[in-house]
């Protein structure tokens, strides 16, 4: 099997012409392409009048052609099928406990269940079926369930998002993640799209199907079950407390708690789990007509390519970075609060991305020196401060403050409300960067662009320290995923969860094995 890149199709050409394109590219019209697989699909929109779909393809032919073309190389001689690590020999006295059922905890539980370790998952929020009702009630009536909301519940914060799978990491475990997601109902195109996404509507069913698979393999998920304390003996974890009442013995505790479990951060700090403050970013959601973005990126709105996206950045004179993050084409801005008397915003898209509006976070770097304290949880308090202000400025009813860019720059009443929700350096950096961002994407600095405050949870404000075995300063405690400061997004969090599962598996024999009785 060979691999060839830069197979280009016009927008009106069908993928069925790929074999013919391969023949032309290597100059051998008489060969027969017996089968092919798209490895990667991207869009080349540098020439707006001649947009191309560009493919990397693995294919087989009926004869040896490697000597005929320098454009070919053998497809990577790597078996992409994920292989479980060898199980260890140590007796596992109690089931591994995983706290959090977002992408990280979900994939830790999936791997451990597939290997026979019968993990127990504690999720403070509700299952998807009830969680959707809780979130809808919050958006409709302003009634916040602090344990079941946009941040907490089955699937984690990513369930109410765009479901983006883009990542900067390179890891063979990504194939396992994508395989499980497609097997659970995600579209097959996530296997090759340059910027894959699932969509909140599809993702809600995907996580349910993964939950069912974990249970079928011997795992267990307890919803409405919050970690409230841990028991540590002689430097080891011994048990965990649920909801302030029940204790469960375990010698392996995976902390896949997400970036919003502030009460859990505080409890862990009291118990001596080592952590440090971590830089993050703060800003607003900025919203434009999707048609404007399509025209800016593709030259027209009717390309058949779906809603266009963007990624922008600018470095200010004082060194602060201003950038867009978590862009949601054809999406909507949502209030994503999880704490009483606080407002935080996020973006969300359905799979079809058919909304008339596009939005993204417009963020500015926050440094640890901005926190005003060296306390490990100073970043948490920094976030809470501005979320409380946004709650008040929005009317104290969980409605987020909004203003146009023109109102923000002119410092009208609405504009001042947005400014109050941000550190002073944020407003200054945005004002400096916006003209440069407008040059990179025509219309981005439109006076009518809508700002919604405040976006504080682009990443965790805390890093829970871990060693080369991925354990904290207490043996058997595994800080994991985005909340612990080791991932950023669905895919990287899932990969980190798999790594944690592997560390447990290589140490212990599975539950029910001969060693474990």
């Amino acid at each position: 099997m060979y691999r060839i890149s830069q197979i280009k199709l016009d927008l009106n050409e069908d993928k069925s012409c790929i074999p013919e394109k391969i023949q032309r590219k290597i100059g051998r019209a008489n060969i027969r392409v017996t089968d092919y697989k798209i490895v990667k699909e991207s869009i080349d929109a540098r020439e707006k009048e001649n947009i191309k779909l560009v493919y990397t393809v693995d294919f087989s032919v009926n004869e040896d052609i490697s000597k005929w073309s320098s454009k070919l190389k053998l497809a990577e001689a790597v078996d992409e099928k994920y292989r479980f690590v060898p199980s260890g020999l140590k007796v596992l006295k109690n089931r591994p406990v995983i706290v959090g059922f977002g992408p990280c905890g979900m994939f830790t539980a999936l791997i451990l269940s597939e290997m026979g370790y019968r993990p127990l998952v504690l999720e403070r929020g509700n299952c998807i079926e009830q969680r959707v009702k809780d979130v809808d009630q919050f958006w409709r009536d302003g009634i916040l369930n602090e344990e079941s909301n946009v941040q907490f519940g089955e699937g984690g914060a990513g369930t109410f998002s765009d479901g983006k799978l883009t990542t900067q990491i390179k890891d063979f475990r990504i194939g396992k993640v994508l395989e499980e997601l497609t097997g659970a109902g995600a579209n097959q195109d996530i296997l090759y799209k340059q910027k894959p996404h699932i969509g909140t509507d599809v993702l809600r069913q995907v996580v349910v199907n993964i939950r069912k698979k974990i249970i079928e393999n011997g795992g267990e998920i307890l919803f409405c079950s919050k970690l409230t304390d841990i028991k540590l003996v002689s430097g080891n974890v011994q048990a965990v407390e649920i909801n302030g009442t029940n204790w469960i013995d375990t010698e392996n505790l995976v902390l896949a708690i997400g970036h919003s479990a502030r009460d859990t951060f505080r409890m862990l700090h009291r118990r001596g789990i080592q952590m440090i403050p971590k830089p993050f970013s703060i800003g607003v959601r900025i919203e434009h007509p999707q048609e404007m973005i399509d025209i800016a990126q593709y030259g027209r709105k009717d390309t058949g390519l779906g809603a266009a996206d963007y990624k922008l950045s600018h470095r200010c004179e004082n060194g602060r970075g201003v950038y867009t993050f978590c862009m949601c084409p054809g999406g909507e801005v949502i209030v994503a609060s999880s704490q009483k008397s606080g407002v935080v915003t996020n973006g969300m898209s359905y799979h079809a991305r058919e909304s008339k509006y596009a939005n993204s976070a417009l963020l500015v770097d926050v440094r640890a020196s901005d926190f005003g304290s060296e306390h490990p949880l100073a970043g948490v308090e920094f976030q809470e401060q501005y979320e409380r202000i946004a709650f008040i400025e929005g009317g104290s009813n969980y409605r987020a403050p909004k203003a146009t860019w023109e109102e923000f720059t002119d410092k009208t009443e609405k504009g001042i409300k947005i400014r109050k929700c941000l550190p002073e350096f944020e407003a200054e950096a945005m004002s400096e960067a916006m003209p440069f961002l407008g040059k990179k994407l025509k219309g981005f600095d439109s006076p009518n662009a809508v700002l919604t405050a405040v976006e504080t949870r682009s990443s965790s404000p805390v890093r829970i320290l871990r060693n080369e075995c991925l354990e904290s300063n207490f043996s058997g405690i595994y800080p994991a995923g985005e909340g612990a400061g080791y991932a950023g997004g669905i895919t990287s969090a899932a990969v980190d969860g798999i790594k944690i599962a592997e560390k447990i598996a290589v140490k212990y024999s599975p539950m029910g094995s001969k060693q474990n009785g």
Side-chain angles (χ1 to χ4, degrees), residues 152-173:
F152 301 143
E154 183 172 22
T159 305
F160 291 89
S161 71
D162 183 55
K164 275 182 280 292
L165 303 176
T166 50
T167 179
Q168 301 297 316
I169 68 169
K170 295 185 182 298
D171 192 292
F172 70 94
R173 299 173 184 85

Side-chain angles (χ1 to χ4, degrees), residues 438-491:
K439 290 179 181 178
K440 293 181 178 182
L441 183 71
K442 186 177 180 180
F444 189 82
D445 57 347
S446 165
N448 297 320
V450 177
L451 310 182
T452 307
V454 60
E455 173 116 1
T456 57
R457 304 192 195 178
S458 57
S459 66
S460 179
V462 170
R463 176 167 285 116
I464 305 176
L465 300 182
R466 66 188 191 188
N467 59 25
E468 65 278 0
C469 296
L470 308 189
E471 293 176 279
S472 77
N473 55 309
F474 288 91
S475 180
I477 295 182
Y478 296 86
E482 190 166 344
Y486 297 99
I490 292 172
T491 302

Side-chain angles (χ1 to χ4, degrees), residues 18-20 22-23 31-36 59-62:
I18 286 179
E20 181 183 350
I22 294 173
Q23 292 171 333
I31 66 167
R32 183 165 59 89
V33 177
T34 55
D35 61 82
Y36 69 92
F59 67 99
S60 298
V61 292
N62 57 341

Side-chain angles (χ1 to χ4, degrees), residues 247-260:
W247 285 89
I248 297 175
D249 292 337
T250 187
E251 60 266 42
N252 291 281
L253 174 63
V254 180
L255 297 174
I257 57 179
H259 57 38
S260 296

Side-chain angles (χ1 to χ4, degrees), residues 172-442:
F172 70 94
R173 299 173 184 85
I174 292 174
K176 172 67 170 175
V177 174
L178 298 180
E179 172 193 327
E180 293 295 339
L181 292 174
T182 55
N187 195 297
Q188 292 287 321
D189 65 11
I190 68 171
L191 298 174
Y192 59 83
K193 288 277 191 181
Q194 183 183 27
K195 298 177 181 179
H197 89 288
I198 299 178
T200 182
D201 47 341
V202 178
L203 194 55
R204 295 175 194 182
Q205 187 56 53
V206 167
V207 298
V208 169
N209 290 336
I210 293 178
R211 177 226 300 174
K212 292 177 179 177
K213 185 172 182 178
I214 291 168
I215 294 172
E216 289 171 1
N217 288 329
E220 183 179 1
I221 297 100
L222 299 181
F223 296 108
C224 303
S225 299
K226 181 167 71 173
L227 174 70
T228 49
D229 205 351
I230 54 176
K231 185 177 182 180
L232 302 166
V233 178
S234 302
N236 299 275
V237 63
Q238 189 174 81
V240 297
E241 183 189 57
I242 303 175
N243 297 334
T245 54
N246 300 328
W247 285 89
I248 297 175
D249 292 337
T250 187
E251 60 266 42
N252 291 281
L253 174 63
V254 180
L255 297 174
I257 57 179
H259 57 38
S260 296
R262 293 162 173 171
D263 48 1
T264 307
F265 288 146
R266 290 182 167 112
M267 179 273 291
L268 294 172
H269 181 257
R270 290 195 302 270
R271 289 287 173 256
I273 306 299
Q274 290 181 353
M275 57 184 72
I276 58 174
K278 187 179 76 63
F280 59 97
S281 299
I282 190 170
V284 296
R285 276 276 148 181
I286 185 166
E287 190 173 31
H288 303 86
Q290 181 63 53
E291 182 178 315
M292 187 205 83
I293 305 299
D294 293 342
I295 294 172
Q297 296 291 65
Y298 299 146
R300 58 190 190 276
K301 62 180 181 179
D302 54 350
T303 59
L305 294 172
D309 65 3
Y310 58 78
K311 186 176 182 180
L312 306 172
S313 64
H314 175 73
R315 183 67 58 184
C316 293
E317 288 185 5
N318 63 5
R320 288 198 190 265
V322 180
Y323 64 101
T324 62
F325 173 78
C326 188
M327 193 268 161
C328 293
E332 58 188 277
V333 177
I334 62 172
V335 177
S337 301
S338 60
Q339 202 165 339
K340 185 179 179 181
S341 301
V343 160
V344 58
T345 62
N346 198 5
M348 184 178 78
S349 296
Y350 291 87
H351 179 73
R353 290 176 165 174
E354 290 179 334
S355 164
K356 293 182 180 180
Y357 298 96
N359 73 82
S360 74
L362 181 62
L363 302 177
V364 177
D365 297 340
V366 177
R367 302 159 182 168
S369 58
D370 297 319
F371 299 160
S373 167
E374 295 182 359
H375 191 279
L377 299 178
V380 171
E381 295 177 359
F382 188 91
Q383 290 176 329
E384 290 175 329
Q385 172 188 349
Y386 289 99
E387 289 173 16
R388 286 193 295 268
I389 294 172
F391 176 78
I392 294 169
E393 295 300 324
S396 299
N397 55 8
Y398 296 105
R399 299 293 184 262
K402 291 188 176 185
T404 65
W405 178 246
E406 183 176 48
E407 290 169 333
F408 181 84
T409 55
D410 289 349
K411 298 183 181 179
T412 65
E413 182 179 353
K414 289 184 178 180
I416 290 173
K417 285 180 177 289
I418 297 291
R419 287 175 177 271
K420 286 181 179 179
C421 301
L422 303 169
E424 186 176 344
F425 66 77
E426 162 80 16
E428 292 175 355
M430 283 171 48
S431 297
E432 178 184 336
M434 188 62 90
F436 295 95
L437 302 180
K439 290 179 181 178
K440 293 181 178 182
L441 183 71
K442 186 177 180 180

